[in-house]
Amino acid sequence: MAETKKYYMTQDGLTKLEEELDYLKTTRRQEVVERIKVARDFGDLSENSEYDAAKDDQAFVEGRIVQIENMIRNSVIIEDNGDTNEVNLGNSVTFKELPDGDEEIYTIVGSAESDPLEGKISNDSPMAKSLLGRRVGEQVTVSTPGGDMEVEIVNIQ
């Protein structure tokens, strides 16, 4: 039997998923049902683009519901163990690019709540994999789409 994928996330990330699931089940699902009802009234379903679009939307919503339920069912909450000696899941890491010294801060989270624009990177990303287990002061080679870069870890929170 295949091993079930675990979804690592913070308590905040789990709460956001639960809120999205509630919205999809109570509000969005009903909106789509209403769109389908209205589109049916337009007549011939074989040439009814509104009906097709509503059905596509329904498939998306139902698929997302199943996906979120699976993520919640297989979630593993990232506990803050207070250890800032080495980079772990849930830590915020400040590092500077070498040699020019530009500092960046990223929080390493599970893939379910990663958002690079918000400074949250997935533990499955090449950058996070390079940083996990490292300590302040260590120099690390990080793989990026633009090529490898050297960084020095400045702070772990």
Side-chain angles (χ1 to χ4, degrees):
M1 185 173 177
E3 188 174 320
T4 304
K5 179 178 174 160
K6 298 291 182 197
Y7 295 91
Y8 295 93
M9 61 187 76
T10 61
Q11 184 60 50
D12 185 47
L14 178 61
T15 300
K16 287 179 181 176
L17 277 179
E18 290 169 339
E19 289 169 357
E20 181 182 356
L21 180 62
D22 183 59
Y23 167 75
L24 289 172
K25 284 183 164 183
T26 60
T27 305
R28 190 74 181 111
R29 189 182 258 169
Q30 290 304 315
E31 291 171 355
V32 172
V33 167
E34 287 302 315
R35 281 185 52 209
I36 291 171
K37 285 180 186 176
V38 169
R40 277 191 181 137
D41 292 339
F42 292 148
D44 184 9
L45 297 182
S46 66
E47 295 182 18
N48 188 331
S49 63
E50 287 85 2
Y51 179 78
D52 291 340
K55 291 299 279 183
D56 288 345
D57 200 19
Q58 181 183 40
F60 174 80
V61 168
E62 295 303 324
R64 182 69 178 149
I65 288 170
V66 169
Q67 180 184 33
I68 292 173
E69 287 175 337
N70 182 50
M71 291 168 76
I72 291 171
R73 186 173 37 259
N74 296 300
S75 66
V76 176
I77 301 301
I78 300 167
E79 298 291 336
D80 181 7
N81 60 8
D83 181 12
T84 57
N85 292 321
E86 75 176 34
V87 180
N88 290 301
L89 197 57
N91 287 136
S92 290
V93 182
T94 304
F95 60 84
K96 65 179 178 181
E97 292 182 40
L98 300 176
D100 61 7
D102 290 340
E103 285 193 3
E104 297 182 37
I105 301 173
Y106 289 103
T107 302
I108 301 175
V109 297
S111 60
E113 63 182 309
S114 69
D115 185 353
L117 298 177
E118 293 291 322
K120 295 179 179 181
I121 59 171
S122 167
N123 62 312
D124 293 327
S125 71
M127 181 175 285
K129 286 180 179 179
S130 299
L131 296 171
L132 287 168
R134 302 304 183 122
R135 297 179 177 275
V136 171
E138 280 192 60
Q139 292 185 5
V140 181
T141 302
V142 176
S143 297
T144 68
D148 290 348
M149 70 177 181
E150 289 290 319
V151 302
E152 180 181 341
I153 298 174
V154 176
N155 190 23
I156 302 170
Q157 296 177 315

